[in-house]
């Protein structure tokens, strides 16, 4: 093991970024030592002349019910690692290569956030650069935690820790393929601080923990950031923001919060983490409009759920496929259209419905010049034609809010409801390739100018759907069995005027939960939080589920 050599083809993937560029920062001195028993390094289990070859990255034993979990960096591993036999070697050093023996890692025992493991996930989700490995007992049957102990994880501990210890196993690769890296781990104690950066060079920015210590070169990935002295906690691992650091003297870690806890819980239970496909709140602030419909061709549940169609401020169009609660209600992201300047500048609103009568969902788009366009049968393959319902005109420039539902025309969700800038409310029954029968529900009305959001759903489980209105003062109202005619549809105040609901920027009804009714409501808030309220009725909007935290 002392003669181990790095795997050249895997070096870029499994190590932190290293550069000869130096920042003008005050760094703390580091030194080589024999290590601590809870921290070790990984090897490919390739034996030559009785030795293990190809050492890389570090890991820390953390407490777990099975006494068998090691915490490391996600960028150290990929799908290929699941097919190779790995070993973990606690407190490996030059003079004592395996003082506590070797602990194998079975195929399929690496747990990381599914978003990070996607193609380019290390670039798009650099703030999720952590992983757990389930470690098998050594040859005498003893488990790793029982042999070397464990260091607890510190969740959401903040960034200001004056004495933070960082340990890593550097490669010290000088470019010579026959060069033998130094085997002793590196140790340093230095203040930890907060580092925030924007997107750059194809890497998504974010907020990370930073430590400035001398000489943390390639190979130190996965090594722990430890605080606490006599009661230590591991609060980071070298990894994140370009896989661990820009220079040999600066190391980063993804922040340990609920995202890490979710992966830990999955690893402890021996279950793969549920895929999280919904982007962060910072992205949801850019959701320009949301529509609910049946867009995905093959859903993951037998009783199909609606999917969420999103128009983003940059003109990108995305479908999120409906799924079970255990998958956070959405399990797949489908990009219908990449960023598009024309859509970004001119698409004002989108609504979904069955305007062609084929049981799939079609999309109606209102454009800035007053044009209204129908896109039939939108699905995972994108658009399948375009039909102009209304030519560009000044009247439709005043359409301030739209929704589509089943409002007394027929059995299809093809009745378009429009709230105009002067407070007029109109229903177009049986809309398809052209506008349907026009019914003026409310004439010019100052009160209705304050109906800033309207949505559709069947909260009262009748043949006719219900209309949801979010008013400018935060009041939320349900009008049941809404037809647009007469005065038979009832009014139910879901929420009295309040400051909180003034921040509900997008309100969309649909079927996203277990029962077969479209009685659920998606809400995108001003801070980017995304909520789903399930199984609403006359009495209220239903049970709240936070899909995306602010």
């Amino acid at each position: 093991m002392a003669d181990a050599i790095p795997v050249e083809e895997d070096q870029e993937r499994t190590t932190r970024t290293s550069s000869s560029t130096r920042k003008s920062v005050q760094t703390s001195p580091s030194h080589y030592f024999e290590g601590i028993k809870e921290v070790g390094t990984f090897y490919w289990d390739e034996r030559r002349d009785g030795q293990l070859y190809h050492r890389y990255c570090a890991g820390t034993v953390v407490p777990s019910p099975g006494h068998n979990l090691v915490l490391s960096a996600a960028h150290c591993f990929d799908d290929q690692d699941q097919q190779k036999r790995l070993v973990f070697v606690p407190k490996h050093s030059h003079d004592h290569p395996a003082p506590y023996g070797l602990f194998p890692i079975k195929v399929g025992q690496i747990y990381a956030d599914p978003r990070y493991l996607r193609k380019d996930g290390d670039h798009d989700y650099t703030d999720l650069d952590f992983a757990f490995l389930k470690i098998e007992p050594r040859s005498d049957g003893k488990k790793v935690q029982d042999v070397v102990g464990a260091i607890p994880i510190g969740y959401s501990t903040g960034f200001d820790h004056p004495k933070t210890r960082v340990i890593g196993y550097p490669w010290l690769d000088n470019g010579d393929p026959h060069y033998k890296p130094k085997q002793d781990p590196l140790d340093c104690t230095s203040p930890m601080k907060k580092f925030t950066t924007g997107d750059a060079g194809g890497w998504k920015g974010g907020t990370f923990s930073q430590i400035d210590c001398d000489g943390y070169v390639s190979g130190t990935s996965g090594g722990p950031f430890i605080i606490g002295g006599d009661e230590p906690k591991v609060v980071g691992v070298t990894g994140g923001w370009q896989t661990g650091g820009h220079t040999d003297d600066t190391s980063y870690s993804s922040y340990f919060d609920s995202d890490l806890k979710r992966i830990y819980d999955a690893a402890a239970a021996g279950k793969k983490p549920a895929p999280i496909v919904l982007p962060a709140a910072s992205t949801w602030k850019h959701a320009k409009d949301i529509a609910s419909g049946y867009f995905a061709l093959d859903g993951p549940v037998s009783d199909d759920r609606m999917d969420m169609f999103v128009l983003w401020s940059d003109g990108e169009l995305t479908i999120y496929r409906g799924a079970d609660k255990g998958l956070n209600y959405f399990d797949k992201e489908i990009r219908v259209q990449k960023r598009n300047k024309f859509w970004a500048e001119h698409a004002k609103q989108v609504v979904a419905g069955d305007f062609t009568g084929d049981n799939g969902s079609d999309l109606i788009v209102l454009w800035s010049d007053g044009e209204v366009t129908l896109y039939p049968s939108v699905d995972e393959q994108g658009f399948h034609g375009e039909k102009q319902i209304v030519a560009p005109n000044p009247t439709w420039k005043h359409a301030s809010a739209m929704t589509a539902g089943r409002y007394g025309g027929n059995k299809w969700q093809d009745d378009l409801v429009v709230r105009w800038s002067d407070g007029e409310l109109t229903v177009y029954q049986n809309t398809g390739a052209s506008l349907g029968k026009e019914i003026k529900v409310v004439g010019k009305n100052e009160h209705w100018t304050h109906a800033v959001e309207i949505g559709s759903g069947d909260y009262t489980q009748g043949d006719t759907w219900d209309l949801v209105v979010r008013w400018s003062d935060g009041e939320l109202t349900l009008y049941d069995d809404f037809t647009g005619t007469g005065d038979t549809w009832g009014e139910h105040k879901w929420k009295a005027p309040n400051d909180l609901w003034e921040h509900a920027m997008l309100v969309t009804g649909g079927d996203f939960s277990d029962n077969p009714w479209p009685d659920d409501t998606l809400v995108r808030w001003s801070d980017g939080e995304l909520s789903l309220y399930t199984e609403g009725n006359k009495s209220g909007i239903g049970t709240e589920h936070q899909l995306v935290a602010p």
Side-chain angles (χ1 to χ4, degrees):
M1 290 173 59
D3 295 328
I5 59 175
V7 182
E8 184 175 358
E9 64 180 8
D10 288 322
Q11 179 168 336
E12 182 177 355
R13 175 180 60 79
T14 61
T15 64
R16 53 165 289 158
T17 299
S18 179
S19 170
S20 60
T21 303
R22 291 291 182 270
K23 292 182 179 180
S24 57
V25 296
Q26 184 67 40
T27 61
S28 298
S30 58
H31 64 278
Y32 287 97
F33 76 130
E34 286 194 351
I36 62 175
K37 64 184 188 314
E38 298 91 348
V39 177
T41 187
F42 297 98
Y43 274 84
W44 300 123
D45 191 359
E46 293 184 22
R47 296 180 183 271
R48 301 177 189 173
D49 300 325
Q51 299 184 47
L52 288 174
Y53 279 74
H54 310 323
R55 177 184 62 74
Y56 69 102
C57 290
T60 305
V61 181
V62 296
S64 65
H67 290 203
N68 58 356
L69 288 187
V70 170
L71 170 65
S72 187
H75 76 263
C76 292
F77 311 96
D78 64 11
D79 290 341
Q80 297 302 313
D81 298 330
Q82 303 278 11
Q83 308 305 320
K84 299 176 182 177
R85 189 171 176 85
L86 310 177
V87 293
F88 176 67
V89 189
K91 201 182 178 182
H92 168 69
S93 68
H94 181 273
D95 293 334
H96 304 284
Y100 296 98
L102 309 178
F103 295 83
I105 304 162
K106 282 188 176 180
V107 170
Q109 297 298 327
I110 301 173
Y111 299 83
D113 195 295
R115 292 170 290 182
Y116 195 90
L117 296 179
R118 298 179 194 169
K119 185 179 185 300
D120 297 325
D122 56 340
H123 287 65
D124 297 338
Y125 294 96
T126 184
D127 59 338
L128 300 176
D129 193 358
F130 36 68
F132 291 94
L133 294 90
K134 185 166 285 187
I135 308 299
E136 294 295 307
R138 67 186 185 187
S139 58
D140 62 359
K142 291 186 177 180
K143 297 181 178 180
V144 65
Q145 184 178 329
D146 296 329
V147 174
V148 301
I151 302 177
I153 300 172
Y155 296 102
S156 301
T157 59
F159 299 91
D160 184 16
H161 298 288
K163 293 184 179 181
T164 304
R165 188 180 190 185
V166 56
I167 299 173
Y169 278 85
W171 262 343
L172 295 178
D173 185 357
N174 66 356
D176 182 349
H178 302 291
Y179 181 78
K180 299 176 182 178
K182 190 172 180 64
Q183 297 301 313
D184 292 335
L186 201 61
D187 191 12
C188 175
T189 298
S190 183
M192 191 171 86
K193 58 187 177 182
K194 184 177 182 179
F195 171 76
T196 301
T197 182
D199 299 354
W203 294 82
K204 182 182 178 182
T207 299
F208 304 85
S209 302
Q210 176 181 332
I211 294 181
D212 299 309
C213 282
D214 294 337
Y216 277 72
V217 298
S218 297
T220 56
S221 295
F225 289 14
I226 301 172
I227 64 170
D230 293 337
E231 297 182 358
K233 291 183 179 180
V234 55
V235 297
V237 294
T238 300
W241 186 240
Q242 302 194 34
T243 64
H246 293 126
T247 76
D248 296 346
D249 299 333
T250 297
S251 298
Y252 299 121
S253 170
S254 300
Y255 188 62
F256 283 8
D257 55 14
S258 59
D259 282 318
L260 178 72
K261 183 62 165 59
R262 185 173 54 84
I263 306 304
Y264 172 86
D265 289 342
K271 298 179 180 179
K272 291 301 177 185
I276 301 296
V277 302
L278 300 177
S282 58
T283 300
W284 279 100
K285 290 181 180 180
H286 299 283
K288 192 173 181 180
D289 207 357
I290 296 175
S292 304
Y294 298 102
F295 299 104
L297 298 176
D298 296 304
V301 288
S302 56
D303 52 333
D304 200 10
R305 311 289 167 81
M306 280 186 172
D307 313 303
M308 177 169 49
F309 186 99
V310 182
L311 165 65
W312 301 96
S313 59
D314 62 1
E316 181 177 331
L317 305 175
T318 308
I319 294 170
Y320 295 97
R321 188 173 70 178
D324 281 324
K325 180 180 179 180
L327 297 174
N328 202 32
Y329 291 98
F330 298 95
D331 78 326
K332 184 178 181 181
E333 181 181 63
I334 304 160
R335 180 179 291 175
V336 176
Q337 175 178 272
K338 295 181 180 180
R339 296 177 182 177
N340 184 292
K341 183 178 180 180
F342 182 79
W343 277 74
E345 295 178 353
H346 299 291
K348 291 178 60 179
Q349 296 181 58
V350 294
V351 296
D354 190 0
F355 303 104
T356 59
D358 63 356
N359 293 319
S361 286
D362 318 301
L363 200 70
I364 283 182
V365 181
L366 172 65
W367 302 92
S368 59
D369 61 359
E371 181 178 358
V372 181
T373 306
L374 171 68
Y375 294 91
S377 303
V378 180
D379 59 24
E380 293 175 87
Q381 276 69 54
F383 295 124
H384 302 281
E386 177 183 357
K387 296 181 181 180
Q388 186 183 77
I389 296 177
V390 178
N393 69 94
T395 299
W396 277 81
K397 289 183 179 181
H398 294 281
S400 299
M402 298 196 312
T403 188
R406 197 170 64 213
Y407 295 118
N410 55 35
K411 66 178 183 178
W412 310 113
Q413 184 192 345
D414 62 359
D415 304 314
L416 190 66
V417 182
V418 181
R419 198 274 290 172
W420 304 90
S421 60
D422 61 2
E424 182 178 331
L425 191 69
T426 306
V427 174
Y428 295 92
Q429 280 188 345
N430 304 344
T431 294
S434 60
L435 287 177
K437 177 184 176 182
E438 181 177 354
I439 301 172
K440 185 178 291 187
V441 182
V442 177
K444 294 181 181 180
N445 186 298
E446 175 67 23
H447 176 67
W448 275 84
T449 62
H450 296 283
V452 291
E453 277 288 310
I454 58 175
S456 299
D458 194 1
Y459 300 92
T460 57
Q461 301 180 6
D463 292 334
T464 304
W465 280 23
D466 316 305
L467 189 72
V468 176
V469 179
R470 198 271 289 178
W471 303 90
S472 59
D473 62 0
E475 180 178 337
L476 198 63
T477 307
L478 175 73
Y479 296 95
D480 71 78
D481 293 335
F482 179 81
T483 62
T485 60
D487 57 0
T488 57
W489 29 286
E491 179 177 348
H492 306 275
K493 186 180 290 186
W494 273 356
K495 301 286 182 181
N498 67 92
D499 294 340
L500 174 63
W501 278 84
E502 290 181 13
H503 296 280
M505 308 308 294
L506 300 173
V507 179
T508 305
D511 175 15
F512 300 103
S513 60
D514 291 338
N515 71 30
W517 304 98
D519 56 2
D520 311 310
T521 309
L522 284 165
V523 179
R524 196 274 281 174
W525 302 88
S526 58
D527 61 0
E529 180 180 357
L530 187 68
S531 301
L532 175 65
Y533 295 84
T534 56
E535 300 183 7
N537 53 40
K538 289 182 181 180
S539 301
I541 192 172
T543 303
E544 181 179 6
H545 307 269
Q546 185 184 72
L547 304 183
V548 176

